[in-house]
Amino acid sequence: SSNIWLLITPDGEPCQRALAALGARGTIRCDFMATYGHELTHLGTGTTADVYLAKPLHAGPSAPWVAAKMFKTKGGGDASSASSVHRLPADLHREVTIMAAVQGHPSILGFHGLFYLGGQPMQLPGQADAKWCVALDLCSGDLYTQIKAKRYVEDAARPVMGSILFGLAYLHG
C-alpha cells in the first residue's frame, strides 16, 4: 500500500534542497514552474514526450540545467479519458520507480523529480495538455548520434563500452 503525504514548506534554500532530495526519490512534486520557470527551450520530440531545456530558478549560477521530459496526454478528450488524465500512467510510474531506485551511479542518468503539471499554465508549443514532467540530467547527446557521426576506433570505444557495462552491472547486481 502507498502512503500519501502533503508537505507545505515556506520559500527558502533549505526547503528547496529538501524538496529536491524528496523529488529524486520519486516524490511527486507540483512546483515545476516555481522551480524551473517558464523559459524553456525545446530540445526534441519523441513518441510519448517532448523534451525541454530547463534551468533551476533559485539554485544559484552553478546549478545544473536539466532535461524536462513533458509527457503527452493520452486520450482524445472524452469523459473517460479526462478523468484518467490526472492519474499517473502505469508506464510513467514504472519509469520513475526504476529511475529513483538506481540513483547514485556515475553511469546512470540523474533523476531530479516527477512533477504534476495539472493546473499550471503551460505555454509550450504542443504541450498545452501535458500533465506530467520528469526532470533528468541534461546530456550532451546520445550514443546513437555519436556513433552515426563518427567511426569509433577501439581505443575510443573502450571507455564508452566500459561505462555502459559498468552501468549494466550495477543495474543487475
Side-chain angles (χ1 to χ4, degrees), residues 35-65:
T35 303
Y36 295 104
H38 290 274
E39 294 185 31
L40 306 176
T41 304
H42 188 257
L43 296 176
T45 300
T47 304
T48 61
D50 286 322
V51 180
Y52 295 86
L53 177 66
K55 182 173 184 353
L57 294 176
H58 308 290
S62 63
W65 291 53

Side-chain angles (χ1 to χ4, degrees), residues 53-113:
L53 177 66
K55 182 173 184 353
L57 294 176
H58 308 290
S62 63
W65 291 53
V66 299
K69 192 174 175 183
M70 305 278 184
F71 286 84
K72 299 172 183 175
T73 302
K74 295 178 182 175
D78 61 357
S80 62
S81 66
S83 64
S84 67
V85 151
H86 301 287
R87 282 182 277 188
L88 185 63
D91 54 343
L92 181 54
H93 180 266
R94 187 172 43 258
E95 179 178 338
V96 168
T97 301
I98 292 168
M99 287 298 296
V102 298
Q103 289 304 288
H105 191 275
S107 295
I108 305 294
L109 193 63
F111 173 70
H112 298 277

